[in-house]
Amino acid sequence: MSHREWWRDAVVYQIYPRSFADADGDGQGDLAGIRARLPYLVELGVDAVWLTPFYPSPMADGGYDVADFCDVDPRFGTLADFDALVADAAGHGIRVIVDIVPNHCSAEHPWFKQALAAEPGSPARERFIFRDEPNNWQSMFGGPAWTQVEDGQWYLHLFDSSQPDWNWRHPDVPALFEDVLRFWLDRGVAGFRVDVAGAMFKDAALPDLPPGTPPDAEPSPYSHQPETLAEHRRWRKILDSYGDRVAILEQWSDNPETMAPYLGDGQLQQVFNFTLMSTPWSAADWRAAIESSVAITAGRPVTAPWVLENHDAPRLATRLGVDQSIIRNPTEEALRGEIDIDRERGLRRARAAALIQLALPGSAYVYQGQELGLHEVLDIPADRREDPIFTRTAGAIFGRDGCRVPLPWSGDAPPYGFADHPVRTWLPQPGDWAGQTVAAQSADPGSMLNLYRTAVRLRREHLGSAPDPAFFDAGPGTLAFTRGPGFALVANLGEEPVALPAHTGTLLASGPLEGDLLPADTAVWVSR
Ligand code: GLC
């Protein structure tokens, strides 16, 4: 293929439809709301959007419990709204990627209802993983991964009990998903983000894990089976038959040995690179994380999309505002008031991180609200929380609601233009977001939003086909690399200001410079 595939260095904006924009005023976002806000995405300069699930769902897991893979939940609109969104987006040069959830469905899916109504051992049960005895696997959301049904059998669910896992060895399951892929491809989607992509097939023997193994340990008998890779290759052929469509795998592993098989010839094109989401704010750690990620894809027909935020993790500004020795899960401690959050420092670092992310080779994913520098919302009352992680752990783990709060668009008080009249939003918005809204930030040249707008534009101008990063030493605590002879990023992740290396001009800075000094927690793009 001689042309450079569009997705290789695309900036992709992740939309969580329930929290983006609410056109019908029911307190939950919808497809018409997204369509009405396309000009915002055009101004931001993104190449594509990824929509997390908007399919019919009881919403036990924010829509990742899908009851019908080929329709739109009425709360989000209709298939006609979807088609109109794709058409309008295309008119603006924006592609639409949708989520596909192949590991499980909702307990409300007709096939699971049939399975429950059928006998043990029946073909209807064979589409899922029913057994007379459970093994010792634990759910990713806490508690056992098995739930017992009335006749005494148990079914497997790696996530919530309302999310039964498919049996991919039953021919109906691959056939169903082939239809699902074609259904959305025929409607013009640019590709798929593949949920829990490595878990489709389980080791057929369902072996017990050594006692005490955490559910997300790698490798495991429920991930990375050879049949999963073979199924992905089949999907790749389907995508290729439609032209330049792409699939991006969700895979929470940065172990090169685990990743390598997914990145081989004939596999799906991209695997998310989540490593920067758990890398503490230190130049050495960021450099090591970037170098190992670039090395994983080197020489392969793939690039790894960089992710700083998504709907499953605490907001970046909050993560970077806490003591970096405990970054792996700051929200839980923060919610309990056990650790301090320096919000301003976190935001300063998040601004610098944005310039690092957007200077890296490969595609960049920006989760809605990341471009506004939103903090995790920490004070959602227990009776308003929706994440099954919260309920399955009896409130011991607060979960992901705090990064899923409806976006602030304008105005001084909730719902901040999320809907155009007063409404109770599905998750409560904080009272102090007036300065964070799109309108307020658009009017402020120094805002996070304007930093993103400028960075995305300059990235296109300067980094389109630039070579991989070449790191150089710019002093203690700094992360510095060039992308070809004319462009360099220098970020100060240390505590003290450092002298900027020789350059001919400053393209963009994440914060004020002190003459020729780069202050702590600040990044610049310079020309040389
Ligand atoms: C993925 C999704 C997450 C969901 C889980 C189960 O990790 O990103 O939101 O809860 O899969 O579908």
Side-chain angles (χ1 to χ4, degrees):
M1 206 176 284
S2 58
H3 75 284
R4 196 174 159 83
E5 296 95 339
W6 66 271
W7 43 263
R8 281 189 173 272
D9 46 22
V11 176
V12 183
Y13 186 85
Q14 181 192 348
I15 293 184
Y16 195 77
R18 209 176 177 190
S19 295
F20 187 67
D22 174 13
D24 67 5
D26 65 352
Q28 309 190 58
D30 42 48
L31 298 179
I34 300 170
R35 197 172 156 215
R37 298 289 185 182
L38 284 172
Y40 172 72
L41 300 172
V42 173
E43 200 174 351
L44 190 54
V46 304
D47 302 289
V49 293
W50 150 36
L51 308 180
T52 61
F54 49 81
Y55 314 114
S57 166
M59 291 280 157
D61 182 23
Y64 282 96
D65 46 324
V66 181
D68 179 350
F69 291 88
C70 294
D71 205 349
V72 174
D73 191 286
R75 83 186 73 215
F76 296 125
T78 62
L79 280 171
D81 290 324
F82 180 80
D83 293 341
L85 171 60
V86 171
D88 280 10
H92 289 297
I94 294 178
R95 299 171 200 255
V96 177
I97 294 168
V98 297
D99 222 297
I100 190 163
V101 188
N103 181 66
H104 46 264
C105 60
S106 159
E108 295 298 312
H109 191 282
W111 284 5
F112 191 69
K113 290 189 183 167
Q114 281 174 24
L116 287 185
E119 300 287 300
S122 59
R125 287 219 170 161
E126 286 299 307
R127 291 176 177 142
F128 297 90
I129 302 177
F130 278 88
R131 292 290 182 275
D132 293 332
E133 294 294 334
N135 64 13
N136 71 352
W137 296 358
Q138 296 293 300
S139 152
M140 306 287 169
F141 289 167
W146 296 86
T147 290
Q148 195 166 28
V149 301
E150 264 177 22
D151 54 41
Q153 277 211 310
W154 302 74
Y155 66 90
L156 176 71
H157 52 88
L158 289 183
F159 293 89
D160 189 49
S161 57
S162 67
Q163 294 169 294
D165 279 42
W166 292 110
N167 172 16
W168 271 85
R169 293 193 173 81
H170 190 294
D172 286 354
V173 176
L176 170 72
F177 277 90
E178 174 161 352
D179 289 348
V180 174
L181 290 170
R182 292 185 186 281
F183 179 86
W184 295 106
L185 289 166
D186 288 338
R187 296 194 106 86
V189 303
F192 301 92
R193 175 269 190 189
V194 187
D195 191 61
V196 203
M200 289 154 65
F201 285 83
K202 281 78 182 170
D203 181 331
L206 302 178
D208 272 334
L209 288 170
T213 312
D216 57 356
E218 301 262 359
S220 78
Y222 38 78
S223 51
H224 318 316
Q225 304 296 309
E227 295 99 319
T228 299
L229 288 149
E231 190 59 28
H232 290 182
R233 287 194 294 277
R234 248 170 42 82
W235 286 19
R236 174 66 188 267
K237 290 204 179 96
I238 297 172
L239 292 182
D240 284 350
S241 73
Y242 281 80
D244 55 356
R245 316 294 173 99
V246 68
I248 308 98
L249 311 187
E250 185 207 26
Q251 193 81 267
W252 287 90
S253 168
D254 47 17
N255 177 344
E257 278 164 36
T258 310
M259 301 275 276
Y262 292 94
L263 302 173
D265 272 345
Q267 295 296 144
L268 292 167
Q269 294 95 332
Q270 295 193 297
V271 181
F272 275 130
N273 174 358
F274 293 130
T275 167
L276 296 179
M277 297 178 88
S278 56
T279 303
W281 188 246
S282 100
D285 289 328
W286 275 59
R287 175 169 175 173
I290 292 167
E291 284 185 318
S292 73
S293 301
V294 171
I296 291 174
T297 53
R300 299 179 189 273
V302 294
T303 54
W306 300 96
V307 185
L308 297 179
E309 284 193 18
N310 67 19
H311 63 293
D312 291 328
R315 290 280 190 190
L316 180 67
T318 306
R319 291 203 317 267
L320 296 182
V322 303
D323 176 352
Q324 293 299 288
S325 61
I326 48 170
I327 185 144
R328 276 175 202 281
N329 197 357
T331 329
E332 293 308 317
E333 290 86 350
L335 278 166
R336 285 168 220 296
E338 289 165 10
I339 55 172
D340 296 328
I341 300 168
D342 182 338
R343 292 169 66 97
E344 274 171 32
R345 186 168 212 202
L347 185 58
R348 232 174 16 250
R349 289 174 169 172
R351 293 175 64 101
L355 293 202
I356 300 172
Q357 182 192 19
L358 291 170
L360 289 169
S363 49
Y365 277 63
V366 176
Y367 172 52
Q368 65 182 42
Q370 178 180 331
E371 80 283 17
L372 302 177
L374 295 185
H375 274 278
E376 187 79 1
V377 179
L378 298 172
D379 59 357
I380 302 172
D383 64 353
R384 299 288 302 275
R385 290 193 172 271
E386 299 244 349
D387 189 345
I389 294 181
F390 183 74
T391 35
R392 286 186 66 85
T393 62
I397 302 181
F398 283 87
R400 305 161 293 177
D401 292 317
C403 66
R404 299 176 174 180
V405 173
L407 283 196
W409 291 92
S410 58
D412 294 335
Y416 300 107
F418 172 69
D420 63 11
H421 61 264
V423 71
R424 179 182 155 106
T425 52
W426 73 278
L427 286 174
Q429 297 167 306
D432 62 355
W433 264 4
Q436 309 296 116
T437 65
V438 169
Q441 295 204 34
S442 293
D444 171 6
S447 68
M448 180 73 140
L449 176 57
N450 279 320
L451 180 73
Y452 265 93
R453 286 174 174 159
T454 308
V456 172
R457 179 172 53 77
L458 291 175
R459 167 186 163 96
R460 188 164 290 126
E461 285 167 22
H462 292 269
L463 297 173
S465 49
D468 274 356
F471 285 90
F472 65 96
D473 184 6
T478 58
L479 177 80
F481 57 78
T482 56
R483 297 279 317 274
F487 177 98
L489 163 117
V490 187
N492 183 354
L493 285 69
E495 299 288 335
E496 301 297 330
V498 292
L500 269 176
H503 58 283
T504 54
T506 302
L507 298 168
L508 187 60
S510 70
L513 304 181
E514 295 164 11
D516 255 357
L517 290 182
L518 180 66
D521 299 326
T522 307
V524 285
W525 289 359
V526 293
S527 49
R528 296 157 47 100

